[in-house]
Amino acid sequence: MTKGFKQNVEEALWLDYGKTIKEAETIELYNAVSKAAMAVVGRDFGEKAKKAEGKKACYLSAEFLIGRMVYNNLLSLGLFNQFTELMTENGVDFRILEEIEDAALGNGGLGRLAACFLDSGATNGITLNGYGIRYKYGLFKQYFEDGFQKEMPDDWTRMGDPWSERREDDAVVVEFKGQSVRAVPYDSPVIGYGGKKINLLRLWQAEPMENFHFDLFNDQKYDKAAKDKVDADAICAVLYPNDTTDAGKKLRLKQQYFFSSATLQDIVRTYKQKYGDDFSHFSSEYAVQLNDTHPTVAIPEFIRLMMEKEGMTFAKAFKLARETFAYTNHTIMAEALEKWGVNLFKAVIPNVYKYIVMLQKALVKELVMLKVEKENQQQYFIIDGERIHMARMAIFASHSTNGVAQIHTEILKNDALKEWYALYPERFNNKTNGITQRRWLALANMELSGFITDKIGNAWITNLDHLKKLEKFKDDAAVIKQFGDIKRLKKRQLADYIMEHEGVKLDPDFIFDIQVKRLHEYKRQLLNAFSILDIYFGLKDGRIKEFNPTVFIFGAKAAPGYQRAKGIIKYINEIAKMIESDPEVNNKLKVVFVQNYNVSYAEKLTPAADVSEQISTAGTEASGTGNMKFMLNGAVTLGTYDGANVEIVAEAGEENNYIFGARVEEIEKISKTYDPKKLYEENPRIKRVVDTLVDGTLDDGGTGMFEELHHSLLEGASWHKADHYYLLYDLLPYIDAKLAVNADYSDAFSFRRKCFINTANAGKFSSDRTIRDYAEEVWHI
Ligand code: 26W
């Protein structure tokens, strides 16, 4: 079979395009390679995955940030080497398929986590199938114009989608008030490493019940004839439609119901093929994991299906729901805790609202039974006045609620969800996030992979704890040197890539200090910017004398409607420009903000970092997963005591990382009396950097964005107090830590040794461990 792969590629090329490998366009090559690999997978993978023996976990997620699929799938199938050989034989660089675009069906961490989990499920022999939406447009493409973010649509299937199969025969109908649509599944294989286990990623596409109303068209009512299609298309058009208006909010809710309902109908149908009307085995056949609250409407939908179609009582359906569903919380940011207006909900899915009312009644009954005083009950209400609280529903009607890092779970238990923890302490548990080492080391950093395998064998690919065996080399100067040389090579490669894509020249002898993640105030990219400005002034004033040349690299997308985040991007781009044009410092300091940061860019950036910036305000970043990718690839973390950083330094040692700033307890203590203006007025260094926002040092093109940022730090706004994320509070300790990293870099051996120890202790952060914990403790698989 494997011998045939190369021939199959050539044959597919010839049959479909009449071309040889040498003649083929990239896209043709891509389609032929994918097709040949899909032939190895087999057309029946979807059926097999759906009907796999034993309990099946279903991961319901509004996002799957898969990135580029082809290399990963070739690796998993054991075809990667044959592929590269075939290319080499024909004089083609195997990296040619890097032109193929990412499947960017997600925003950030939550979506990428879903993708890592699927990889780990399949690799570990656990049936874990993903269910979501086949968006027509993924997350927007970003570019900069005069330093401002601009957005372009990401039509990711424009060149085809050879890794999916349309499964017309499995289509189901989803009903909204005044609209019915067909949900048609597109199935992609999730191939476990070694190719033994293949799970399923099923993405639903909304289509009109009838594609075309011939009669209307005949009556020359052309718009009407096409209307059903337009309305169906809207459901899957984009990820997170702008929800500033009611129409946008409705569309969001429609999306959530669309994929939740389709998935449950699908699961119930498959179940019934096996057990008929006997639902006594349901919760030992299926576990449903809700990836944040986005698919929570699946719970009342399940109860509806059981009662309306299967004639079950509410009590029985509710019990089954609780046994089946589990909920993961990914953030405590208030604005991300979903609530729907009752009227809006009723206008979209009145049929489901009924079951939410039943859940609310069951809740009150249980509160009484658990002896919660009447005056304390309202904080639990699923229907609370005019709002439906999705997180409350998810906790109440499931058997498990988990956070995604130890500190995050503690905050859920003791603060954000403490009233629920008091009620159901046994339901709360932690599952610290992880990343798949197949993509983030084996594929993204082949040089380091080769080095590691050379030292300790290749068992780390499926058991990352093996990395610990590297520790015995930590004082071996030759090994550390080799490790450092690989880093230098990855920095060289990134520099070439950035030259090509951004037109910016980087020197691999600089320190590569990288902050890449969604743009959000709590992640504090602005704090990083301030620290760079202080260093810049320090270098010019002669306050900073010794300084190892450093490039600060940023990558981030700002949500299109998030003006403050866009202001921060512009600000950093202006800083980059100012420093670049200053001959006094531009040989030591550099700033580059790369455009269109995505999974594929992350695969280039992560291996090249010396310093990983993880500087969120303590208590705000649920976990972070970028922090783990950098650690695995041998960077030191410059970060706060937040999210998974806490566990990273517990594994790799505080002495091998750079932790600074206020901890959660300290922030809590000062929050009432915090006065950023006082800090600003009393400390000239703070004042100087903050005032670059308004004193003409940097120009926001007349938009008022910088002024607004300045105001938000010193005066606040109606929705947030001044400097809500404590930038000014942490600024000086942060700069001290940054300068400490910089000074430590001078001793190459001891710096690389720290990096090496980070890699050696990254075992815990494999998503294989996370998934095994979910399987055992939540899904009981
Ligand atoms: C309701 C709209 C919405 C949707 C998605 C708001 C916010 C989001 C985020 C993109 C959610 C997200 O990505 N959260 C991240 O989840 C990661 C995986 O658990 C964590 O590592 C990150 O800390 C958390 O921010």
Side-chain angles (χ1 to χ4, degrees):
M1 167 191 85
T2 43
K3 185 153 193 309
F5 175 68
K6 289 185 185 178
Q7 282 145 18
N8 287 344
V9 173
E10 284 171 329
E11 204 170 283
L13 257 186
W14 186 249
L15 288 175
D16 291 344
Y17 308 104
K19 289 187 181 176
T20 65
I21 290 177
K22 286 191 173 74
E23 294 162 347
E25 305 282 333
T26 307
I27 182 67
E28 295 165 344
L29 203 53
Y30 170 64
N31 281 325
V33 168
S34 306
K35 196 170 171 181
M38 277 294 260
V40 175
V41 169
R43 287 187 62 102
D44 56 343
F45 71 90
E47 268 323 281
K48 277 192 185 153
K50 272 173 53 176
K51 297 185 173 155
E53 280 301 307
K55 194 166 177 180
K56 291 159 276 295
C58 308
Y59 202 76
L60 268 61
S61 179
E63 303 187 16
F64 286 94
L65 236 189
I66 309 282
R68 196 181 290 122
M69 286 181 253
V70 59
Y71 291 123
N72 200 267
N73 287 343
L74 290 174
L75 180 77
S76 296
L77 287 169
L79 297 172
F80 194 85
N81 289 340
Q82 288 182 63
F83 164 71
T84 55
E85 274 168 34
L86 182 65
M87 293 301 108
T88 313
E89 285 160 18
N90 288 279
V92 177
D93 184 342
F94 77 87
R95 282 167 304 191
I96 188 164
L97 300 185
E98 287 184 3
E99 286 169 35
I100 300 304
E101 292 178 22
D102 282 24
L105 309 184
N107 260 289
L110 168 143
R112 184 54 233 176
L113 185 75
C116 284
F117 278 2
L118 293 186
D119 182 79
S120 285
T123 298
N124 287 276
I126 294 161
T127 305
L128 172 62
N129 296 328
Y131 295 87
I133 298 175
R134 189 168 191 259
Y135 300 103
K136 168 117 174 73
Y137 299 101
L139 187 61
F140 66 88
K141 284 191 181 163
Q142 176 202 55
Y143 66 98
F144 297 149
E145 206 173 270
D146 187 27
F148 291 105
Q149 168 175 297
K150 301 281 160 186
E151 300 101 25
M152 269 192 327
D154 169 36
D155 188 359
W156 69 283
T157 60
R158 197 180 63 251
M159 305 285 223
D161 176 19
W163 293 101
S164 82
E165 291 217 36
R166 182 182 166 95
R167 291 296 306 273
E168 194 76 45
D169 50 330
D170 264 0
V172 296
V173 175
V174 177
E175 287 177 39
F176 306 96
K177 185 174 183 179
Q179 182 188 19
S180 297
V181 298
R182 288 196 329 134
V184 183
Y186 280 71
D187 287 357
S188 291
V190 180
I191 307 160
Y193 186 81
K196 283 201 285 292
K197 173 103 177 154
I198 297 183
N199 285 331
L200 169 67
L201 171 59
R202 172 161 274 197
L203 299 179
W204 299 96
Q205 177 166 295
E207 298 186 5
M209 300 294 285
E210 268 177 81
N211 249 310
F212 191 67
H213 290 281
F214 188 77
D215 45 344
L216 287 171
F217 194 80
N218 215 23
D219 291 347
Q220 297 172 345
K221 293 178 179 148
Y222 304 125
D223 291 350
K224 231 177 159 187
K227 185 173 185 309
D228 285 0
K229 177 159 166 50
V230 171
D231 290 348
D233 284 350
I235 296 174
C236 295
V238 294
L239 185 65
Y240 300 122
N242 179 348
D243 68 347
T244 47
T245 65
D246 245 27
K249 288 196 181 85
K250 279 186 187 165
L251 192 53
R252 279 264 277 265
L253 180 58
K254 264 191 185 178
Q255 290 188 327
Q256 299 188 352
Y257 182 64
F258 169 72
F259 88 92
S260 300
S261 174
T263 302
L264 283 168
Q265 292 185 54
D266 190 30
I267 294 169
V268 170
R269 176 178 56 193
T270 309
Y271 176 84
K272 291 184 74 171
Q273 287 169 6
K274 188 162 168 190
Y275 291 104
D277 297 336
D278 171 13
F279 275 84
S280 64
H281 305 279
F282 192 80
S283 59
S284 25
E285 274 285 307
Y286 290 104
V288 178
Q289 191 70 33
L290 304 174
N291 198 24
D292 216 295
T293 53
H294 317 145
T296 299
V297 69
I299 293 177
E301 172 66 359
F302 176 74
I303 295 174
R304 184 185 76 82
L305 291 173
M306 290 301 106
M307 293 177 71
E308 287 181 9
K309 313 265 182 218
E310 309 301 333
M312 224 178 250
T313 62
F314 173 79
K316 219 171 153 208
F318 177 51
K319 179 170 176 288
L320 213 47
R322 265 195 176 163
E323 289 167 4
T324 306
F325 288 90
Y327 157 61
T328 304
N329 174 288
H330 293 267
T331 181
I332 57 163
M333 290 289 125
E335 71 267 22
L337 293 178
E338 288 190 301
K339 297 167 203 79
W340 297 107
V342 167
N343 289 329
L344 185 133
F345 202 97
K346 281 197 205 158
V348 177
I349 35 176
N351 297 342
V352 183
Y353 182 71
K354 274 206 310 230
Y355 298 90
I356 296 185
V357 173
M358 291 183 211
L359 283 167
Q360 167 69 16
K361 284 193 184 138
L363 167 71
V364 174
K365 207 167 132 194
E366 190 150 305
L367 291 174
V368 171
M369 204 182 74
L370 293 169
K371 304 207 164 28
V372 177
E373 304 287 341
K374 189 123 189 126
E375 64 269 25
N376 291 330
Q377 288 179 2
Q378 194 182 345
Q379 57 184 331
Y380 295 101
F381 284 3
I382 296 169
I383 305 175
D384 188 0
E386 269 309 295
R387 311 241 148 260
I388 304 173
H389 285 250
M390 300 311 267
R392 293 178 187 172
M393 184 158 73
I395 302 167
F396 174 63
S398 71
H399 65 275
S400 166
T401 293
N402 76 282
V404 291
Q406 279 162 14
I407 187 174
H408 169 59
T409 301
E410 288 310 306
I411 291 172
L412 292 181
K413 293 199 292 195
N414 303 323
D415 187 14
L417 300 174
K418 61 174 183 299
E419 64 280 10
W420 288 98
Y421 180 59
L423 220 53
Y424 308 115
E426 70 291 343
R427 278 187 206 174
F428 283 74
N429 63 94
N430 176 246
K431 296 287 167 283
T432 297
N433 285 164
I435 57 169
T436 167
Q437 67 269 32
R438 268 84 57 191
R439 184 174 289 249
W440 296 106
L441 182 55
L443 269 182
N445 198 344
M446 293 187 188
E447 296 84 351
L448 185 58
S449 298
F451 162 88
I452 293 170
T453 296
D454 184 52
K455 298 286 176 276
I456 62 168
N458 67 5
W460 62 269
I461 296 176
T462 50
N463 181 356
L464 200 62
D465 291 329
H466 277 258
L467 289 183
K468 194 83 190 165
K469 292 185 184 168
L470 287 171
E471 278 235 321
K472 66 171 176 282
F473 300 105
K474 71 177 191 288
D475 297 310
D476 183 329
V479 172
I480 299 299
K481 166 85 173 50
Q482 238 186 317
F483 181 76
D485 288 346
I486 290 168
K487 182 63 79 179
R488 159 90 206 197
L489 178 65
K490 299 311 283 184
K491 287 165 75 172
R492 166 87 270 157
Q493 290 170 3
L494 178 66
D496 292 345
Y497 191 84
I498 287 181
M499 184 68 226
E500 193 180 323
H501 289 83
E502 320 297 334
V504 175
K505 189 161 181 243
L506 300 188
D507 179 346
D509 286 327
F510 276 40
I511 297 174
F512 280 27
D513 178 310
I514 306 187
Q515 185 176 19
V516 286
K517 48 186 77 255
R518 285 182 291 127
L519 203 314
H520 199 288
E521 286 162 273
Y522 85 78
K523 295 176 185 280
R524 301 199 294 191
Q525 282 96 347
L526 185 57
L527 176 64
N528 192 347
F530 285 159
S531 78
I532 296 167
L533 282 170
D534 180 69
I535 291 170
Y536 170 72
F537 294 135
L539 288 169
K540 284 183 78 78
D541 296 351
R543 171 167 51 85
I544 299 173
K545 295 192 181 61
E546 307 282 314
F547 188 74
N548 287 304
T550 303
V551 54
F552 295 97
I553 304 174
F554 292 84
K557 288 180 182 175
Y562 190 173
Q563 286 308 319
R564 232 179 236 177
K566 289 183 151 177
I568 294 169
I569 291 180
K570 171 68 174 167
Y571 185 59
I572 295 169
N573 278 324
E574 288 305 301
I575 294 171
K577 208 163 74 184
M578 176 180 74
I579 293 177
E580 188 55 31
S581 60
D582 186 337
E584 239 174 49
V585 285
N586 67 10
N587 59 340
K588 298 190 200 59
L589 204 56
K590 202 167 180 92
V591 176
V592 54
F593 206 130
V594 304
Q595 302 171 87
N596 202 39
Y597 172 63
N598 60 8
V599 172
S600 289
Y601 222 134
E603 290 171 18
K604 303 281 178 199
L605 288 155
T606 315
D610 297 305
V611 184
S612 156
E613 296 266 1
Q614 308 298 337
I615 60 175
S616 51
T617 314
T620 62
E621 188 69 274
S623 162
T625 44
N627 45 5
M628 302 170 183
K629 295 164 199 166
F630 284 111
M631 177 202 201
L632 179 62
N633 281 277
V636 297
T637 296
L638 169 56
T640 47
Y641 219 66
D642 196 21
N645 300 351
V646 176
E647 291 161 70
I648 286 175
V649 297
E651 294 295 303
E654 267 201 61
E655 68 284 7
N656 298 309
N657 290 288
Y658 298 82
I659 299 298
F660 70 91
R663 300 193 175 196
V664 174
E665 305 74 38
E666 190 176 344
I667 300 239
E668 271 168 12
K669 217 169 73 200
I670 62 159
S671 68
K672 290 247 149 49
T673 57
Y674 179 52
D675 183 358
K677 215 175 206 164
K678 188 156 178 278
L679 288 178
Y680 161 87
E681 270 153 6
E682 286 175 358
N683 193 303
R685 271 170 65 201
I686 295 182
K687 185 164 192 311
R688 188 168 182 197
V689 297
V690 172
D691 280 348
T692 60
L693 284 163
V694 291
D695 64 9
T697 309
L698 299 162
D699 183 4
D700 66 5
T703 57
M705 285 170 144
F706 293 176
E707 163 90 59
E708 203 281 327
L709 286 170
H710 195 260
H711 194 83
S712 80
L713 291 170
L714 300 176
E715 313 294 338
S718 58
W719 64 96
H720 268 169
K721 61 186 194 305
D723 193 14
H724 187 68
Y725 294 108
Y726 302 89
L727 278 69
L728 306 195
Y729 193 78
D730 278 345
L731 180 58
L732 296 181
Y734 174 45
I735 297 167
D736 288 345
K738 212 165 209 174
L739 291 173
V741 184
N742 191 279
D744 288 356
Y745 193 78
S746 300
D747 182 342
F749 170 75
S750 94
F751 186 83
R752 279 308 155 215
R753 183 176 176 279
K754 289 181 205 276
C755 295
F756 183 84
I757 293 173
N758 273 282
T759 299
N761 288 286
K764 174 176 176 184
F765 304 105
S766 169
S767 46
D768 296 345
R769 185 264 315 148
T770 316
I771 279 301
R772 276 189 240 112
D773 286 351
Y774 274 100
E776 219 170 279
E777 296 160 22
V778 182
W779 306 329
H780 308 293
I781 299 187

